[in-house]
């Protein structure tokens, strides 16, 4: 009967286990690389979907301004300006449509602020002069100032419903002095 030699068996296990461990490590490294590539691809896909969604909302916003220019001008004009007569002298149906449009405008800008971290952009009205982006930031600031004119229906609706909107959006408008009457959001507890 053959005898069982524990020392010989241990050596053979060590000889077989060492390459198996190396192969397992290589396999895990390859899996890790593949997962990393998949995560990068997923991040890219999500970013593209967000950009597509933002682009779609921007097109809808532009279409609304083109199809209802009188209504758009009326909801963004300061109270008392001639454009506001379009809704102040209107029936309840047009007034309800004006409030819906004002809410849509607020929702659009709140959505944009939620998509892009505030820390990546200068404060409204404070573009980095001389930079390539300064004209874009100036245009963005002008769009906010125009759409949230003091005492406009858009501004009044935002003040009335401020708590339903994101802190980055409301804080930025408040700091820039756009839509006076907004209060700073309460700090998160």
């Amino acid at each position: 009967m053959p005898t069982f030699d524990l020392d010989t068996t241990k050596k053979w296990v060590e000889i077989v286990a060492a390459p198996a461990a190396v192969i397992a490590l290589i396999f895990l490294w390859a899996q890790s690389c593949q997962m990393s590539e998949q995560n990068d691809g997923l991040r890219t896909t999500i970013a593209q979907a967000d950009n597509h969604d933002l682009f779609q909302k921007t097109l809808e916003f532009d279409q609304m301004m083109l199809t209802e220019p009188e209504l758009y001008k009326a909801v963004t004009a300061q109270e008392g300006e001639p454009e506001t007569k379009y809704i102040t002298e209107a029936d309840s149906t047009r007034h309800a449509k004006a409030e819906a449009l004002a809410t849509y405008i607020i929702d659009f800008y709140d959505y944009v602020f939620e998509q892009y971290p505030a820390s990546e952009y200068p404060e409204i009205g404070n573009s980095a002069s001389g930079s390539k982006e300064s004209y874009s930031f100036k245009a963005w600031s002008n769009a906010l100032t125009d759409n949230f004119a003091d005492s406009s229906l858009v501004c009044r609706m935002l003040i009335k419903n401020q708590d339903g909107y994101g802190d980055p959006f409301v804080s930025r408008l408040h700091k820039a002095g756009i839509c006076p009457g907004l209060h700073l959001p309460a700090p998160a507890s």
Side-chain angles (χ1 to χ4, degrees):
M1 169 167 206
T3 61
F4 180 74
D5 183 13
L6 186 59
D7 289 333
T8 305
T9 305
K10 279 173 98 178
K11 287 180 185 176
W12 280 105
V13 168
E14 289 173 359
I15 290 171
V16 171
V22 170
I23 290 171
L25 287 174
I26 291 171
F27 177 75
L28 288 174
W29 175 78
Q31 287 294 97
S32 175
C33 289
Q34 185 178 16
M35 290 295 285
S36 179
E37 288 175 12
Q38 288 176 348
N39 284 341
D40 291 344
L42 183 59
R43 278 189 215 100
T44 301
T45 301
I46 290 171
Q48 287 173 346
D50 287 345
N51 287 340
H52 175 74
D53 192 38
L54 181 59
F55 182 69
Q56 184 66 35
K57 290 198 181 310
T58 302
L59 287 177
E60 290 170 6
F61 185 72
D62 290 344
Q63 182 180 14
M64 173 274 311
M65 288 189 306
L66 293 172
T67 58
E68 298 268 358
E70 296 88 9
L71 187 61
Y72 172 73
K73 289 176 186 173
V75 300
T76 58
Q78 289 185 351
E79 200 170 34
E81 289 185 2
E83 292 89 353
T84 60
K85 288 182 182 180
Y86 186 78
I87 53 175
T88 56
E89 297 175 356
D91 59 10
S92 60
T93 303
R94 189 184 300 163
H95 193 71
K97 195 173 182 180
E99 285 186 348
L101 176 58
T103 301
Y104 177 84
I105 292 169
I106 298 165
D107 290 347
F108 172 78
Y109 283 100
D110 183 50
Y111 177 81
V112 171
F113 271 92
E114 287 297 320
Q115 296 303 307
Y116 299 100
S119 61
E120 293 182 12
Y121 299 94
E123 294 296 327
I124 298 167
N126 293 335
S127 61
S129 61
S131 72
K132 220 181 342 177
E133 294 85 16
S134 65
Y135 294 108
S136 298
F137 290 126
K138 184 173 176 128
W140 174 246
S141 293
N142 289 341
L144 285 166
T145 303
D146 292 346
N147 282 290
F148 292 89
D150 299 356
S151 74
S152 68
L153 182 58
V154 174
C155 182
R156 292 191 317 265
M157 293 288 291
L158 176 59
I159 292 168
K160 179 180 172 184
N161 301 301
Q162 171 180 345
D163 294 335
Y165 292 99
D167 291 351
F169 172 58
V170 173
S171 295
R172 281 288 178 105
L173 292 179
H174 181 269
K175 277 177 92 175
I178 296 172
C179 199
L182 289 174
H183 58 276
L184 279 176
S189 35

